[in-house]
Amino acid sequence: MIKGIPVSPGIISGNCVVLKKEKIAINYKKISKCQVRDEINVFSYNKKKSVDQIKSIKNFLKKKKVDKEKIEIFEGHIMLIEDEEFERDVISCIQDEYYRSSTAVAKVIDRQISILRNVKDEYLKNRIIDFKDIRERIVKNIMKIPIIDLSTISKKIILIAEDLSPSDIVQSKTEKIIGLIMDKGNLNSHVSIIAKSLDIPTIVGTKHATKLIETNDHIILDSINNRIYRNPSQEKIEEVNKIKINHAIWKKELKKLKHFPAITLDNHKFSLQSNIRDNTEINLIEKSGSEGIGLYRTEFLFMNRSNPPTEEEQFQTYKEVAEIMNPRPVIIRTIDIGGDKFVPYINIPKEENPFLGLRAIRIIKNKEDIMLTQLRAILRATHFGNLKIMFPMVISLEEILHLKSQLSFIKNQLSRKNYIFREDIEIGIMIETPSAAIISRELAKEVDFFSIGTNDLTQYTLAVDRGNQSISYLYDPISPSVLRLIKKVIENAHQEGKEVSMCGELASDEFATIILVGMELDKFSMNSVSIPKIKKQIRRLRFQEAKEITEKILRLPSSKEIRNEIERFHKENDMHF
Ligand code: PEP
Ligand code: MG
């Protein structure tokens, strides 16, 4: 039995696909003259095979009516492979330098990549990623290493991977992924957050699952009890089926809460809202009984493309969500790339500490146009609904003042061009760095609202990388330091008459609900799937009692004692999950 860190609860069984990041070992040993012809044939055969594979991905995407941009990426790959000069160079590398076909392909493309690294033109530089992709595809085909394209999976599978990036997961055919197991990752890494929002049973941090499990093995993934069974016995299947049925009943019960308010037994009301990544998630919001969008992670609109979305494209996206949700609020967070969210064309140089590097609003220094275009699109869309702007990763007052002045500049620009927009759009910031939390009283004077990002606040306060599975035991938002910071932020905002939401994962942790209620958090924003369970939890609490317990908890010196205290309360009050 394999275990890890359960992320998204559920039980699922089925066949699996194991996705390993194979290291491709290029063999530089020379061939003999008599092997030249064969190697040229191998190259030609696999060149065609690669083009055919890409064509079928392209056709599939076309049928799915995905973004033209995405299809263009694949068209570009075909052009690069079919380029006559590329073919000539590879053949000459085989017949003149006596390299085998795979080595010749790698060498020719690597030469091209090193030329591109030195060019100034950003567009050309961005082609490096395309060259890397075709290099991998042709070489793998020559070496007969299987290529799994997540965008064209045809059967329902449990996906087992060493590691996936947020962009891998959003471009995969997620409706075919019925379960996800990842050797790396942590509870609050972005892939885990996406899996939760898609309601895919998921366990991460399994360390060796990709080594212990083979593609096509039958798997039971039980992320309620943190268990993975490989080729289970009939007895095990029946045992797990019972848990599955109970889980389904529990979910059905929760659904009934959709039309009830998130109100405590002594009538204190909270607002529950949704975190989304793109407009396709709006339908989940409608099913959950959510009161608005507390966090729109717009960076996902910038992923898996070769250029940033234009002002017009973004405007249409924000307009659509504003109209559908109106009059409910929609908080649009400006692009938060960097860290583990990578957008190739933004060209963030390789960094030693990406989470402490060029991330989120910091790109305004060298990619000002991207931020300003986004702000323009958001402002224009304010005319169609209740949009608000939120800035991530703030650490200082100067940053807010600068962003506000940029916003005023854009407002003037739009007014001059006679656009209609909301002058008085509300501006908020995420409190997700200890620095922002510590100076939150001063920051609150400058903005309309706060949203606490506990995922980053925890990582930066405890100095524990949120995605690093080997130190995941240290990552605990329910620790005295993080909780005391949260309390301070809420108090400071309230003293300035401002509302505080929480959009980090702690908001969707029913174990923590009592403390958040007790700290008088105003709004909770989370993946829509979690809304009913948090509502249920709030409806079982008494506000006054939660405040008293929270006061006591905030004086406790360790996470262990805090957890014991919460557990004791839940037991005494019969609050099982
Ligand atoms: C957070 O840090 O808590 C947050 C909500 O932002 P993200 O997870 O996108 O970094
Ligand atoms: Mg964050």
Side-chain angles (χ1 to χ4, degrees), residues 384-417:
F384 301 90
N386 187 6
L387 293 190
K388 306 175 188 208
I389 294 184
M390 179 160 74
F391 296 112
M393 270 297 278
V394 169
I395 58 166
S396 70
L397 187 67
E398 292 87 321
E399 284 173 331
I400 300 179
L401 297 178
H402 180 62
L403 290 163
K404 281 173 73 176
S405 78
Q406 294 291 345
L407 203 61
S408 302
F409 165 75
I410 291 172
K411 283 181 184 173
N412 284 336
Q413 222 181 30
L414 291 178
S415 299
R416 276 200 308 275
K417 291 184 181 161

Side-chain angles (χ1 to χ4, degrees), residues 333 336 359 430 432 456 466:
R333 177 175 78 178
D336 180 11
R359 192 184 162 191
M430 292 198 60
E432 52 182 348
D456 280 314
R466 64 195 262 187

Side-chain angles (χ1 to χ4, degrees), residues 11-50:
I11 301 184
I12 202 81
S13 60
N15 284 7
C16 69
V17 166
V18 181
L19 197 67
K20 293 184 195 181
K21 288 224 163 89
E22 310 268 357
K23 277 228 159 53
I24 307 175
I26 302 288
N27 183 347
Y28 288 92
K29 221 169 116 198
K30 304 257 173 141
I31 52 169
S32 64
K33 209 170 178 176
C34 63
Q35 288 174 289
V36 165
R37 183 69 1 234
D38 281 351
E39 284 299 317
I40 293 177
N41 288 340
V42 168
F43 166 62
S44 301
Y45 173 80
N46 286 291
K47 185 184 126 190
K48 182 171 178 315
K49 183 173 174 183
S50 303

Side-chain angles (χ1 to χ4, degrees), residues 36-204:
V36 165
R37 183 69 1 234
D38 281 351
E39 284 299 317
I40 293 177
N41 288 340
V42 168
F43 166 62
S44 301
Y45 173 80
N46 286 291
K47 185 184 126 190
K48 182 171 178 315
K49 183 173 174 183
S50 303
V51 169
D52 290 346
Q53 285 168 345
I54 301 173
K55 277 186 181 157
S56 79
I57 298 175
K58 203 187 88 180
N59 291 339
F60 164 78
L61 295 177
K62 257 189 183 158
K63 263 192 227 142
K64 268 198 90 183
K65 295 196 169 47
V66 302
D67 262 7
K68 226 174 82 213
E69 282 271 350
K70 271 188 203 160
I71 295 170
E72 280 168 7
I73 294 177
F74 291 105
E75 279 168 354
H77 287 189
I78 294 173
M79 270 165 60
L80 291 177
I81 300 179
E82 289 187 329
D83 180 57
E84 282 174 15
E85 199 176 321
F86 169 62
E87 176 162 25
R88 251 198 327 272
D89 288 350
V90 173
I91 291 177
S92 119
C93 198
I94 298 171
Q95 67 190 11
D96 304 334
E97 297 178 54
Y98 297 108
Y99 282 113
R100 58 191 69 223
S101 53
S102 51
T103 319
V105 169
K107 270 184 143 308
V108 169
I109 296 182
D110 287 347
R111 267 181 226 149
Q112 192 61 39
I113 290 176
S114 60
I115 295 170
L116 289 178
R117 281 217 169 95
N118 296 319
V119 298
K120 288 231 161 60
D121 185 320
E122 288 285 310
Y123 176 81
L124 288 176
K125 236 191 184 109
N126 289 337
R127 301 282 72 77
I128 291 179
I129 192 97
D130 299 318
F131 276 104
K132 282 188 176 164
D133 275 358
I134 61 162
R135 177 191 194 274
E136 181 171 328
R137 180 174 295 280
I138 307 176
V139 171
K140 273 188 170 172
N141 277 330
I142 294 176
M143 292 181 163
K144 299 190 168 44
I145 298 173
I147 299 173
I148 297 163
D149 278 307
L150 290 179
S151 56
T152 54
I153 312 165
S154 57
K155 289 185 292 194
K156 293 203 165 169
I157 53 142
I158 293 177
L159 180 65
I160 305 179
E162 279 176 52
D163 200 9
L164 289 173
S165 70
S167 96
D168 287 335
I169 192 116
V170 290
Q171 74 173 333
S172 60
K173 209 173 170 192
T174 42
E175 68 273 22
K176 296 286 182 201
I177 302 176
I178 55 170
L180 178 64
I181 297 168
M182 231 168 64
D183 280 346
K184 296 203 172 143
N186 202 352
L187 194 58
N188 295 297
S189 57
H190 284 105
V191 172
S192 302
I193 292 172
I194 297 171
K196 258 195 257 181
S197 73
L198 294 169
D199 207 12
I200 301 174
T202 300
I203 298 183
V204 299

